[in-house]
Amino acid sequence: MTKALYSGSFDPLTMGHLDIIRRAAKLYDELTIGIIVNPSKKAMFTLEEREEMLKEVLKDYDNVKVDHFSGLLADYVNRSGFDVVVRGLRNTTDFDYEMQMAQVNDRLFNDFTETVFLMADPRYSFISSSVVREVSSLGGNIEGLVPEEILKRMVK
Ligand code: ADP
């Protein structure tokens, strides 16, 4: 059985994240969505809200579960025994950062753990959580950038 992890802040979950989740869930037996808990980062949604929203959006994905962790990603990966860490690539900026992280993590991960990259769907490659937060906080329309369930909460 192949256990995969997809981690991020998901503040909020976007259509780009959801696309990576949908595709990774088809590739691996079990996919865990690991919400990164970072108390020093000012978040729009609390951890509880993000966890609740992810569970709501992903309720029909039988092999996907939602979890959270703080501290070093490699510690969480090693203690949970993930075989694969999935990342999404939108552009060369992501690539430069992600390659460095994958190379550092390769030294820290259990020997059997691999980082695997999925190319962003071009329909969503311009979307980031920070763009969604900025547009929404200034009253702009974020329809189509986040799943319906999230849109309802953000409008509220
Ligand atoms: P954080 O909030 O911790 O910075 P991100 O939300 O930026 O995390 O990213 C988590 C992962 O999802 C990263 O691998 C990132 O490249 C990927 N990702 C983010 N947005 C998209 C998108 N629109 N399409 C594909 N992958 C994405």
Side-chain angles (χ1 to χ4, degrees):
M1 186 176 109
T2 323
K3 283 173 66 175
L5 169 74
Y6 178 53
S7 66
S9 304
F10 306 112
D11 186 37
L13 176 79
T14 69
M15 290 303 284
H17 294 136
L18 185 58
D19 178 62
I20 299 289
I21 293 171
R22 186 186 55 76
R23 289 159 58 198
K26 281 201 282 182
L27 290 172
Y28 305 109
D29 298 313
E30 189 181 285
L31 177 69
T32 299
I33 312 304
I35 306 173
I36 300 165
V37 183
N38 184 353
S40 62
K41 210 164 154 181
K42 215 186 153 301
M44 180 168 204
F45 292 102
T46 65
L47 171 65
E48 290 70 29
E49 288 170 326
R50 281 179 274 159
E51 204 145 27
E52 209 177 284
M53 288 189 282
L54 274 158
K55 283 184 179 159
E56 192 184 347
V57 174
L58 301 171
K59 62 180 183 307
D60 295 329
Y61 289 67
D62 294 335
N63 64 336
V64 177
K65 54 184 195 177
V66 181
D67 190 18
H68 61 264
F69 69 98
S70 55
L72 196 63
L73 173 77
D75 287 340
Y76 175 57
V77 167
N78 292 343
R79 80 174 172 263
S80 310
F82 292 114
D83 303 287
V84 171
V85 173
V86 176
R87 306 292 295 167
L89 289 181
R90 285 166 288 194
N91 47 44
T92 53
T93 309
D94 272 357
F95 176 81
D96 287 343
Y97 172 74
E98 294 288 347
M99 185 166 88
Q100 186 185 24
M101 287 312 298
Q103 288 171 338
V104 171
N105 282 334
D106 189 51
R107 303 171 68 94
L108 304 173
F109 285 168
N110 289 324
D111 272 350
F112 58 84
T113 306
E114 283 289 346
T115 305
V116 169
F117 297 99
L118 296 180
M119 293 298 163
D121 184 312
R123 286 175 298 170
Y124 308 129
S125 58
F126 66 96
I127 306 175
S128 66
S129 294
S130 57
V131 157
V132 168
R133 289 198 301 272
E134 194 166 340
V135 172
S136 133
S137 69
L138 297 171
N141 184 2
I142 52 158
E143 227 169 296
L145 305 187
V146 295
E148 277 297 318
E149 295 88 339
I150 312 273
L151 183 67
K152 275 187 216 141
R153 280 184 186 245
M154 294 196 68
V155 168
K156 253 198 250 165

